Amino acid sequence: MQKIPASSFAAVRARFQTLLALIFAFVFTSSVFAQHEDPKNAAPYYTSAIENLPAFTDEQWALIIDIDPNKDFDPIRPILSRAFRSIDSAMRGSRLPYCDFDLDYSQGLELLLPHLGPLRNVARLMHAQALLQLHDNNPSAASATIAAMYRMANHLSADRTLISSLVAAAIFSLADSTSQAAFDRMLFSASDSATLYGAVSSIPAHDPFAFGEAIAMEQSTLVDEFDRHFTQDEIPADFLQSIQDPDTPPNPLITQIAEEGSFDQELQRYDEFMTKVVSAFTNPDDEQAAAQLAELEKSCAAGDAGLLAQLLSPAFSRVHQMMLKNQASLADRLAMLKNQMEGAEPPIQAANAAL
């Protein structure tokens, strides 16, 4: 039997046990970014944005991340000046129809996503730039910057990985908070709102950042990976050891799987369970979908979905709640922008509505 690399097991832990925490802990690793040679593909521009991202100190990043629009912007100006080429490349890429980093999904659990962390940082710089533009009484430029952030979020959800969808949602939230900062100060005109509306309206109304599709891809990746490397009921000892933290007591689920020696059966039950999860995420009835996920998680916790599902499944209800929050934020923003474009909601009303 072919031995699966130990690094794949680390990937299992990273994807399925600490997935929600990873969104704030990306580290850029050197890798070759491959994209299709297509002038409509945003990925080469985003790659350029990453390559031109300056090596800021921790103190400088703290100024960007914790930026206060009510304080002095002078310490921020030289940082953003150094980041001009990176931000400009990202904004150019965001205007293109689609984004394809040409990810090699055949790598399975070894698939790297080195663009996510740096692009999250580029979005932070764009957030700071938009706030500076608002401070400098240039709302038109600010609306263009924020629109680029919305479009970048939409692009990243095309990766079809759950981590990518989480990063896309985080960038959307950052863009939306920047928009609200302008509305709170009654700075955007109908034209600025139209700029934002064009970007926001391109994001799908249901499951805006493709969590359902990403979960389906994660399911396929895990099942295919294990199916290639494990035969019948054989379970390598290094697998059982690697999917638990060596500093914690042995997981009783692992002991059960080892003792029962029924890995093929466990994998089949996991696959069936995940198919039901994906079906819930694609259900257009949000309340019904939430109920389905709650029932599935209850069933999984009781062991009805098998031991492997208990061991590897993240809290899908939390992911679904995030999806619903994104949907609501998207709908609210579109309604506000449309009203301002049509003159039905003056800026003062938009600001008051947000308070």
Side-chain angles (χ1 to χ4, degrees):
M1 178 178 64
Q2 182 180 1
K3 183 178 180 180
I4 188 169
S7 57
S8 288
F9 306 131
V12 172
R13 289 197 303 272
R15 286 176 186 259
F16 295 97
Q17 293 179 327
T18 61
L19 197 52
L20 295 177
L22 284 176
I23 191 169
F24 300 108
F26 291 110
V27 177
F28 175 61
T29 56
S30 60
S31 178
V32 176
F33 292 91
Q35 303 94 31
H36 295 302
E37 295 296 331
D38 186 337
K40 296 182 180 180
N41 185 7
Y45 284 91
Y46 291 144
T47 298
S48 176
I50 293 169
E51 292 171 345
N52 286 291
L53 190 62
F56 294 125
T57 64
D58 291 344
E59 291 77 12
Q60 290 171 320
W61 277 119
L63 287 173
I64 292 296
I65 294 171
D66 300 325
I67 187 170
D68 185 343
N70 298 314
K71 292 186 177 180
D72 184 13
F73 275 84
D74 285 345
I76 301 294
R77 294 181 189 276
I79 298 176
L80 293 177
S81 179
R82 288 180 57 196
F84 171 79
R85 292 182 62 188
S86 178
I87 295 173
D88 182 65
S89 292
M91 292 187 65
R92 289 174 181 271
S94 76
R95 299 186 187 104
L96 296 178
Y98 79 100
C99 180
D100 181 4
F101 278 97
D102 200 18
L103 301 177
D104 184 4
Y105 296 101
S106 68
Q107 294 178 11
L109 297 174
E110 295 297 305
L111 177 65
L112 296 178
L113 303 167
H115 56 290
L116 294 180
L119 287 180
R120 178 89 189 273
N121 283 334
V122 173
R124 287 171 169 145
L125 290 166
M126 295 167 76
H127 165 69
Q129 174 171 282
L131 291 178
L132 176 59
Q133 289 164 334
L134 292 172
H135 177 270
D136 291 345
N137 296 315
N138 193 352
S140 178
S143 67
T145 302
I146 299 169
M149 295 172 66
Y150 281 127
R151 292 191 296 264
M152 183 193 298
N154 193 26
H155 276 158
L156 290 183
S157 62
D159 279 355
R160 292 186 296 163
T161 72
L162 195 47
I163 296 175
S164 298
S165 293
L166 289 166
V167 172
I171 293 176
F172 170 84
S173 295
L174 189 60
D176 214 45
S177 68
T178 319
S179 291
Q180 195 58 54
F183 284 118
D184 289 344
R185 296 165 60 188
M186 299 171 285
L187 296 176
F188 281 156
S189 66
S191 177
D192 299 328
S193 294
T195 297
L196 294 173
Y197 187 87
V200 178
S201 62
S202 67
I203 302 174
H206 179 75
D207 193 5
F209 305 110
F211 283 114
E213 187 175 358
I215 291 171
M217 176 59 75
E218 298 280 356
Q219 171 194 5
S220 176
T221 297
L222 183 65
V223 171
D224 289 349
E225 187 85 359
F226 285 169
D227 196 46
R228 283 199 304 268
H229 292 285
F230 300 146
T231 60
Q232 298 179 356
D233 290 334
E234 298 181 48
I235 311 173
D238 55 356
F239 167 71
L240 297 175
Q241 294 168 1
S242 67
I243 59 178
Q244 64 177 331
D245 188 335
D247 297 327
T248 61
N251 191 318
L253 294 175
I254 294 175
T255 303
Q256 282 184 262
I257 295 174
E259 290 177 350
E260 294 182 11
S262 55
F263 190 79
D264 274 3
Q265 181 181 349
E266 287 295 332
L267 188 58
Q268 181 178 351
R269 295 178 73 184
Y270 169 81
D271 194 23
E272 293 171 353
F273 170 76
M274 289 296 294
T275 297
K276 295 176 182 178
V277 170
V278 172
S279 177
F281 270 86
T282 57
N283 188 340
D285 186 325
D286 294 330
E287 289 188 7
Q288 188 179 81
Q292 287 175 325
L293 287 172
E295 186 61 32
L296 284 169
E297 288 187 343
K298 180 180 178 181
S299 174
C300 182
D304 296 339
L307 300 174
L308 197 60
Q310 278 185 283
L311 188 64
L312 297 179
S313 299
F316 289 117
S317 287
R318 291 181 60 191
V319 178
H320 189 256
Q321 289 169 7
M322 183 182 296
M323 185 194 87
L324 296 182
K325 181 180 179 180
N326 295 150
Q327 287 181 185
S329 297
L330 179 65
D332 289 346
R333 183 61 62 203
L334 283 171
M336 179 183 289
L337 291 170
K338 187 174 182 180
N339 285 337
Q340 283 207 267
M341 287 166 54
E342 297 174 349
E345 183 172 356
I348 184 66
Q349 294 180 4
N352 290 339
L355 297 178

Short mmCIF file of all heavy atoms in Angstrom, two decimals, residues 24-76:
data_model
loop_
_atom_site.label_atom_id
_atom_site.label_comp_id
_atom_site.label_asym_id
_atom_site.label_seq_id
_atom_site.Cartn_x
_atom_site.Cartn_y
_atom_site.Cartn_z
N PHE A 24 -7.26 34.50 10.05
CA PHE A 24 -6.48 35.60 10.59
C PHE A 24 -5.01 35.24 10.74
O PHE A 24 -4.26 35.98 11.37
CB PHE A 24 -7.04 36.00 11.96
CG PHE A 24 -8.47 36.44 11.89
CD1 PHE A 24 -9.47 35.64 12.40
CD2 PHE A 24 -8.81 37.64 11.29
CE1 PHE A 24 -10.81 36.04 12.32
CE2 PHE A 24 -10.14 38.04 11.21
CZ PHE A 24 -11.12 37.24 11.73
N ALA A 25 -4.58 34.11 10.18
CA ALA A 25 -3.21 33.67 10.43
C ALA A 25 -2.50 33.21 9.18
O ALA A 25 -1.71 32.29 9.22
CB ALA A 25 -3.22 32.53 11.45
N PHE A 26 -2.75 33.85 8.04
CA PHE A 26 -2.10 33.45 6.82
C PHE A 26 -0.66 33.93 6.78
O PHE A 26 -0.35 35.04 7.16
CB PHE A 26 -2.83 34.00 5.59
CG PHE A 26 -4.16 33.37 5.39
CD1 PHE A 26 -5.32 34.10 5.60
CD2 PHE A 26 -4.27 32.04 5.01
CE1 PHE A 26 -6.56 33.51 5.43
CE2 PHE A 26 -5.49 31.46 4.85
CZ PHE A 26 -6.64 32.20 5.06
N VAL A 27 0.22 33.07 6.30
CA VAL A 27 1.62 33.42 6.14
C VAL A 27 1.99 33.21 4.68
O VAL A 27 1.73 32.15 4.12
CB VAL A 27 2.53 32.55 7.03
CG1 VAL A 27 3.98 32.89 6.80
CG2 VAL A 27 2.17 32.75 8.50
N PHE A 28 2.59 34.23 4.09
CA PHE A 28 2.95 34.12 2.68
C PHE A 28 4.17 33.23 2.54
O PHE A 28 5.18 33.44 3.20
CB PHE A 28 3.26 35.51 2.11
CG PHE A 28 3.76 35.48 0.70
CD1 PHE A 28 2.96 34.96 -0.30
CD2 PHE A 28 5.00 35.96 0.38
CE1 PHE A 28 3.40 34.94 -1.61
CE2 PHE A 28 5.46 35.94 -0.93
CZ PHE A 28 4.65 35.43 -1.92
N THR A 29 4.06 32.23 1.69
CA THR A 29 5.20 31.37 1.39
C THR A 29 5.53 31.51 -0.07
O THR A 29 4.67 31.66 -0.92
CB THR A 29 4.85 29.89 1.68
OG1 THR A 29 3.70 29.54 0.92
CG2 THR A 29 4.56 29.67 3.16
N SER A 30 6.83 31.47 -0.38
CA SER A 30 7.25 31.66 -1.77
C SER A 30 6.77 30.48 -2.59
O SER A 30 6.86 29.33 -2.20
CB SER A 30 8.78 31.76 -1.84
OG SER A 30 9.36 30.58 -1.35
N SER A 31 6.22 30.78 -3.75
CA SER A 31 5.70 29.76 -4.64
C SER A 31 5.52 30.38 -6.01
O SER A 31 5.48 31.59 -6.17
CB SER A 31 4.36 29.24 -4.11
OG SER A 31 3.83 28.29 -4.99
N VAL A 32 5.42 29.54 -7.00
CA VAL A 32 5.21 30.02 -8.36
C VAL A 32 3.72 30.19 -8.59
O VAL A 32 2.95 29.25 -8.43
CB VAL A 32 5.79 29.04 -9.39
CG1 VAL A 32 5.48 29.51 -10.79
CG2 VAL A 32 7.29 28.88 -9.19
N PHE A 33 3.31 31.41 -8.93
CA PHE A 33 1.91 31.66 -9.24
C PHE A 33 1.71 31.38 -10.73
O PHE A 33 2.35 32.00 -11.57
CB PHE A 33 1.54 33.12 -8.95
CG PHE A 33 1.55 33.45 -7.50
CD1 PHE A 33 2.69 33.94 -6.89
CD2 PHE A 33 0.42 33.28 -6.73
CE1 PHE A 33 2.69 34.26 -5.54
CE2 PHE A 33 0.41 33.59 -5.38
CZ PHE A 33 1.55 34.09 -4.80
N ALA A 34 0.82 30.47 -11.03
CA ALA A 34 0.55 30.15 -12.43
C ALA A 34 -0.85 30.58 -12.78
O ALA A 34 -1.80 30.34 -12.05
CB ALA A 34 0.70 28.64 -12.66
N GLN A 35 -1.00 31.26 -13.90
CA GLN A 35 -2.31 31.68 -14.35
C GLN A 35 -2.41 31.47 -15.85
O GLN A 35 -1.41 31.42 -16.56
CB GLN A 35 -2.57 33.17 -14.05
CG GLN A 35 -2.43 33.55 -12.59
CD GLN A 35 -1.06 34.07 -12.26
OE1 GLN A 35 -0.40 34.66 -13.10
NE2 GLN A 35 -0.63 33.84 -11.05
N HIS A 36 -3.64 31.37 -16.31
CA HIS A 36 -3.86 31.30 -17.74
C HIS A 36 -3.47 32.62 -18.38
O HIS A 36 -3.71 33.69 -17.82
CB HIS A 36 -5.34 31.00 -18.03
CG HIS A 36 -5.78 29.65 -17.54
ND1 HIS A 36 -5.18 28.50 -17.95
CD2 HIS A 36 -6.77 29.30 -16.68
CE1 HIS A 36 -5.78 27.47 -17.37
NE2 HIS A 36 -6.74 27.93 -16.58
N GLU A 37 -2.85 32.56 -19.55
CA GLU A 37 -2.50 33.77 -20.29
C GLU A 37 -3.76 34.29 -20.98
O GLU A 37 -4.05 33.97 -22.12
CB GLU A 37 -1.40 33.46 -21.31
CG GLU A 37 -0.08 33.04 -20.68
CD GLU A 37 0.54 34.16 -19.87
OE1 GLU A 37 0.30 35.35 -20.21
OE2 GLU A 37 1.24 33.87 -18.90
N ASP A 38 -4.53 35.05 -20.25
CA ASP A 38 -5.79 35.57 -20.74
C ASP A 38 -5.91 37.01 -20.28
O ASP A 38 -5.85 37.29 -19.08
CB ASP A 38 -6.95 34.72 -20.19
CG ASP A 38 -8.30 35.13 -20.78
OD1 ASP A 38 -8.44 36.27 -21.25
OD2 ASP A 38 -9.22 34.30 -20.76
N PRO A 39 -6.06 37.96 -21.20
CA PRO A 39 -6.15 39.37 -20.80
C PRO A 39 -7.36 39.68 -19.94
O PRO A 39 -7.44 40.77 -19.37
CB PRO A 39 -6.21 40.11 -22.15
CG PRO A 39 -6.71 39.10 -23.13
CD PRO A 39 -6.16 37.79 -22.67
N LYS A 40 -8.32 38.75 -19.86
CA LYS A 40 -9.50 38.98 -19.02
C LYS A 40 -9.35 38.39 -17.63
O LYS A 40 -10.25 38.49 -16.80
CB LYS A 40 -10.74 38.39 -19.70
CG LYS A 40 -11.10 39.06 -21.02
CD LYS A 40 -12.36 38.45 -21.62
CE LYS A 40 -12.72 39.11 -22.95
NZ LYS A 40 -13.96 38.53 -23.53
N ASN A 41 -8.20 37.76 -17.36
CA ASN A 41 -7.95 37.10 -16.09
C ASN A 41 -7.28 38.07 -15.12
O ASN A 41 -6.23 38.64 -15.42
CB ASN A 41 -7.06 35.88 -16.31
CG ASN A 41 -6.85 35.07 -15.04
OD1 ASN A 41 -7.46 35.32 -14.01
ND2 ASN A 41 -5.98 34.07 -15.13
N ALA A 42 -7.88 38.26 -13.95
CA ALA A 42 -7.35 39.20 -12.96
C ALA A 42 -6.14 38.66 -12.21
O ALA A 42 -5.38 39.43 -11.61
CB ALA A 42 -8.44 39.56 -11.96
N ALA A 43 -5.93 37.34 -12.23
CA ALA A 43 -4.89 36.74 -11.40
C ALA A 43 -3.49 37.32 -11.64
O ALA A 43 -2.76 37.55 -10.67
CB ALA A 43 -4.88 35.23 -11.60
N PRO A 44 -3.05 37.55 -12.90
CA PRO A 44 -1.71 38.13 -13.08
C PRO A 44 -1.57 39.50 -12.42
O PRO A 44 -0.49 39.84 -11.92
CB PRO A 44 -1.57 38.22 -14.60
CG PRO A 44 -2.48 37.15 -15.13
CD PRO A 44 -3.64 37.15 -14.20
N TYR A 45 -2.63 40.28 -12.42
CA TYR A 45 -2.57 41.60 -11.77
C TYR A 45 -2.47 41.43 -10.25
O TYR A 45 -1.74 42.18 -9.58
CB TYR A 45 -3.79 42.43 -12.14
CG TYR A 45 -3.72 42.99 -13.54
CD1 TYR A 45 -4.25 42.30 -14.62
CD2 TYR A 45 -3.11 44.22 -13.79
CE1 TYR A 45 -4.20 42.81 -15.90
CE2 TYR A 45 -3.05 44.75 -15.07
CZ TYR A 45 -3.60 44.03 -16.12
OH TYR A 45 -3.53 44.54 -17.40
N TYR A 46 -3.20 40.49 -9.71
CA TYR A 46 -3.12 40.25 -8.27
C TYR A 46 -1.74 39.70 -7.90
O TYR A 46 -1.20 40.03 -6.84
CB TYR A 46 -4.21 39.27 -7.83
CG TYR A 46 -5.61 39.84 -7.91
CD1 TYR A 46 -6.69 39.04 -8.28
CD2 TYR A 46 -5.86 41.18 -7.61
CE1 TYR A 46 -7.97 39.55 -8.35
CE2 TYR A 46 -7.14 41.70 -7.68
CZ TYR A 46 -8.20 40.89 -8.05
OH TYR A 46 -9.47 41.41 -8.12
N THR A 47 -1.17 38.89 -8.78
CA THR A 47 0.19 38.41 -8.55
C THR A 47 1.17 39.57 -8.53
O THR A 47 2.07 39.64 -7.69
CB THR A 47 0.59 37.40 -9.64
OG1 THR A 47 -0.29 36.28 -9.59
CG2 THR A 47 2.02 36.93 -9.44
N SER A 48 0.99 40.52 -9.46
CA SER A 48 1.83 41.72 -9.47
C SER A 48 1.65 42.52 -8.19
O SER A 48 2.61 43.06 -7.63
CB SER A 48 1.49 42.58 -10.69
OG SER A 48 2.22 43.79 -10.69
N ALA A 49 0.42 42.60 -7.70
CA ALA A 49 0.16 43.31 -6.45
C ALA A 49 0.93 42.66 -5.30
O ALA A 49 1.48 43.35 -4.43
CB ALA A 49 -1.34 43.32 -6.15
N ILE A 50 0.98 41.33 -5.30
CA ILE A 50 1.70 40.61 -4.25
C ILE A 50 3.20 40.83 -4.39
O ILE A 50 3.91 41.09 -3.41
CB ILE A 50 1.37 39.11 -4.33
CG1 ILE A 50 -0.09 38.87 -3.96
CG2 ILE A 50 2.29 38.29 -3.42
CD1 ILE A 50 -0.59 37.48 -4.24
N GLU A 51 3.70 40.75 -5.62
CA GLU A 51 5.13 40.91 -5.84
C GLU A 51 5.60 42.32 -5.49
O GLU A 51 6.76 42.52 -5.12
CB GLU A 51 5.46 40.59 -7.30
CG GLU A 51 5.29 39.11 -7.65
CD GLU A 51 5.40 38.83 -9.13
OE1 GLU A 51 5.34 39.81 -9.92
OE2 GLU A 51 5.54 37.65 -9.50
N ASN A 52 4.72 43.31 -5.62
CA ASN A 52 5.08 44.69 -5.32
C ASN A 52 4.69 45.12 -3.91
O ASN A 52 4.81 46.31 -3.58
CB ASN A 52 4.41 45.63 -6.34
CG ASN A 52 5.07 45.57 -7.70
OD1 ASN A 52 6.21 46.01 -7.87
ND2 ASN A 52 4.37 45.01 -8.68
N LEU A 53 4.25 44.17 -3.11
CA LEU A 53 3.86 44.48 -1.74
C LEU A 53 5.13 44.74 -0.92
O LEU A 53 5.97 43.85 -0.76
CB LEU A 53 3.08 43.31 -1.15
CG LEU A 53 2.38 43.51 0.18
CD1 LEU A 53 1.32 44.60 0.09
CD2 LEU A 53 1.74 42.20 0.64
N PRO A 54 5.30 45.94 -0.38
CA PRO A 54 6.52 46.25 0.38
C PRO A 54 6.63 45.41 1.65
O PRO A 54 5.63 44.92 2.19
CB PRO A 54 6.35 47.73 0.72
CG PRO A 54 5.38 48.26 -0.27
CD PRO A 54 4.43 47.13 -0.53
N ALA A 55 7.84 45.28 2.13
CA ALA A 55 8.09 44.54 3.37
C ALA A 55 7.98 45.51 4.54
O ALA A 55 8.98 46.05 5.02
CB ALA A 55 9.46 43.88 3.33
N PHE A 56 6.76 45.73 5.00
CA PHE A 56 6.54 46.64 6.10
C PHE A 56 6.89 45.98 7.44
O PHE A 56 6.84 44.76 7.58
CB PHE A 56 5.08 47.10 6.13
CG PHE A 56 4.68 47.94 4.96
CD1 PHE A 56 3.60 47.58 4.16
CD2 PHE A 56 5.38 49.09 4.63
CE1 PHE A 56 3.21 48.35 3.08
CE2 PHE A 56 5.01 49.87 3.55
CZ PHE A 56 3.92 49.50 2.76
N THR A 57 7.22 46.81 8.40
CA THR A 57 7.49 46.31 9.75
C THR A 57 6.17 46.00 10.46
O THR A 57 5.09 46.42 10.01
CB THR A 57 8.25 47.35 10.58
OG1 THR A 57 7.42 48.51 10.76
CG2 THR A 57 9.54 47.77 9.87
N ASP A 58 6.26 45.29 11.57
CA ASP A 58 5.06 44.99 12.35
C ASP A 58 4.40 46.28 12.83
O ASP A 58 3.16 46.38 12.87
CB ASP A 58 5.41 44.12 13.56
CG ASP A 58 5.80 42.71 13.16
OD1 ASP A 58 5.52 42.31 12.01
OD2 ASP A 58 6.40 42.00 14.00
N GLU A 59 5.21 47.26 13.18
CA GLU A 59 4.66 48.53 13.64
C GLU A 59 3.91 49.24 12.52
O GLU A 59 2.84 49.83 12.75
CB GLU A 59 5.79 49.43 14.15
CG GLU A 59 6.44 48.96 15.45
CD GLU A 59 7.39 47.80 15.25
OE1 GLU A 59 7.74 47.50 14.06
OE2 GLU A 59 7.79 47.17 16.26
N GLN A 60 4.43 49.16 11.31
CA GLN A 60 3.74 49.79 10.18
C GLN A 60 2.43 49.08 9.85
O GLN A 60 1.41 49.72 9.56
CB GLN A 60 4.67 49.82 8.96
CG GLN A 60 5.82 50.80 9.11
CD GLN A 60 6.85 50.67 7.99
OE1 GLN A 60 7.19 49.55 7.56
NE2 GLN A 60 7.36 51.79 7.52
N TRP A 61 2.45 47.74 9.91
CA TRP A 61 1.21 47.00 9.67
C TRP A 61 0.18 47.32 10.75
O TRP A 61 -1.02 47.40 10.48
CB TRP A 61 1.47 45.50 9.62
CG TRP A 61 1.92 45.01 8.29
CD1 TRP A 61 3.09 44.39 7.99
CD2 TRP A 61 1.20 45.11 7.05
NE1 TRP A 61 3.16 44.09 6.66
CE2 TRP A 61 2.01 44.52 6.05
CE3 TRP A 61 -0.03 45.63 6.69
CZ2 TRP A 61 1.61 44.44 4.72
CZ3 TRP A 61 -0.43 45.55 5.36
CH2 TRP A 61 0.38 44.96 4.39
N ALA A 62 0.64 47.52 11.98
CA ALA A 62 -0.28 47.86 13.06
C ALA A 62 -0.96 49.20 12.77
O ALA A 62 -2.17 49.37 13.04
CB ALA A 62 0.46 47.92 14.39
N LEU A 63 -0.22 50.15 12.21
CA LEU A 63 -0.81 51.44 11.85
C LEU A 63 -1.90 51.27 10.79
O LEU A 63 -2.93 51.94 10.82
CB LEU A 63 0.27 52.38 11.33
CG LEU A 63 1.24 52.97 12.37
CD1 LEU A 63 2.35 53.74 11.68
CD2 LEU A 63 0.49 53.89 13.34
N ILE A 64 -1.66 50.35 9.84
CA ILE A 64 -2.63 50.12 8.77
C ILE A 64 -3.85 49.38 9.30
O ILE A 64 -5.00 49.76 9.04
CB ILE A 64 -1.97 49.31 7.63
CG1 ILE A 64 -0.90 50.15 6.92
CG2 ILE A 64 -3.02 48.81 6.64
CD1 ILE A 64 -1.45 51.37 6.21
N ILE A 65 -3.63 48.32 10.04
CA ILE A 65 -4.74 47.48 10.51
C ILE A 65 -5.61 48.21 11.53
O ILE A 65 -6.84 48.08 11.52
CB ILE A 65 -4.18 46.17 11.09
CG1 ILE A 65 -3.51 45.34 9.99
CG2 ILE A 65 -5.30 45.35 11.75
CD1 ILE A 65 -2.76 44.13 10.48
N ASP A 66 -4.97 48.99 12.40
CA ASP A 66 -5.71 49.67 13.46
C ASP A 66 -5.97 51.14 13.13
O ASP A 66 -6.12 51.96 14.04
CB ASP A 66 -4.93 49.58 14.78
CG ASP A 66 -4.70 48.14 15.21
OD1 ASP A 66 -5.59 47.30 14.97
OD2 ASP A 66 -3.62 47.85 15.78
N ILE A 67 -6.03 51.46 11.87
CA ILE A 67 -6.19 52.84 11.45
C ILE A 67 -7.46 53.47 12.04
O ILE A 67 -8.52 52.85 12.07
CB ILE A 67 -6.20 52.94 9.90
CG1 ILE A 67 -6.20 54.40 9.46
CG2 ILE A 67 -7.36 52.17 9.32
CD1 ILE A 67 -5.97 54.55 7.95
N ASP A 68 -7.33 54.68 12.51
CA ASP A 68 -8.45 55.42 13.09
C ASP A 68 -8.71 56.64 12.21
O ASP A 68 -7.88 57.54 12.14
CB ASP A 68 -8.12 55.86 14.52
CG ASP A 68 -9.29 56.52 15.21
OD1 ASP A 68 -10.25 56.93 14.53
OD2 ASP A 68 -9.25 56.64 16.46
N PRO A 69 -9.87 56.68 11.53
CA PRO A 69 -10.13 57.79 10.61
C PRO A 69 -10.27 59.13 11.31
O PRO A 69 -10.26 60.17 10.65
CB PRO A 69 -11.46 57.39 9.96
CG PRO A 69 -12.08 56.43 10.91
CD PRO A 69 -10.96 55.70 11.56
N ASN A 70 -10.36 59.12 12.63
CA ASN A 70 -10.49 60.37 13.37
C ASN A 70 -9.15 60.91 13.88
O ASN A 70 -9.11 61.94 14.55
CB ASN A 70 -11.44 60.18 14.56
CG ASN A 70 -12.84 59.80 14.12
OD1 ASN A 70 -13.39 60.40 13.22
ND2 ASN A 70 -13.40 58.78 14.76
N LYS A 71 -8.08 60.20 13.56
CA LYS A 71 -6.76 60.63 14.02
C LYS A 71 -5.90 61.10 12.85
O LYS A 71 -6.31 61.06 11.69
CB LYS A 71 -6.07 59.49 14.78
CG LYS A 71 -6.74 59.15 16.10
CD LYS A 71 -5.94 58.12 16.88
CE LYS A 71 -6.59 57.83 18.24
NZ LYS A 71 -5.82 56.83 19.01
N ASP A 72 -4.70 61.54 13.18
CA ASP A 72 -3.77 62.09 12.20
C ASP A 72 -3.37 61.02 11.18
O ASP A 72 -2.98 59.91 11.56
CB ASP A 72 -2.53 62.61 12.93
CG ASP A 72 -1.56 63.29 11.98
OD1 ASP A 72 -1.95 63.58 10.83
OD2 ASP A 72 -0.41 63.53 12.41
N PHE A 73 -3.48 61.36 9.90
CA PHE A 73 -3.12 60.42 8.84
C PHE A 73 -1.65 60.55 8.40
O PHE A 73 -1.21 59.78 7.55
CB PHE A 73 -4.03 60.63 7.61
CG PHE A 73 -5.32 59.89 7.69
CD1 PHE A 73 -6.41 60.43 8.37
CD2 PHE A 73 -5.48 58.65 7.10
CE1 PHE A 73 -7.61 59.76 8.45
CE2 PHE A 73 -6.68 57.97 7.18
CZ PHE A 73 -7.75 58.53 7.85
N ASP A 74 -0.93 61.48 8.96
CA ASP A 74 0.45 61.70 8.50
C ASP A 74 1.33 60.46 8.60
O ASP A 74 2.13 60.19 7.69
CB ASP A 74 1.08 62.87 9.26
CG ASP A 74 0.53 64.22 8.80
OD1 ASP A 74 -0.10 64.26 7.71
OD2 ASP A 74 0.73 65.23 9.51
N PRO A 75 1.22 59.64 9.67
CA PRO A 75 2.07 58.43 9.72
C PRO A 75 1.69 57.41 8.65
O PRO A 75 2.51 56.54 8.31
CB PRO A 75 1.80 57.88 11.13
CG PRO A 75 1.27 59.03 11.92
CD PRO A 75 0.49 59.84 10.94
N ILE A 76 0.45 57.49 8.13
CA ILE A 76 -0.02 56.52 7.15
C ILE A 76 0.43 56.87 5.74
O ILE A 76 0.67 55.97 4.91
CB ILE A 76 -1.57 56.43 7.21
CG1 ILE A 76 -2.04 56.03 8.60
CG2 ILE A 76 -2.11 55.47 6.16
CD1 ILE A 76 -1.65 54.64 9.01
#
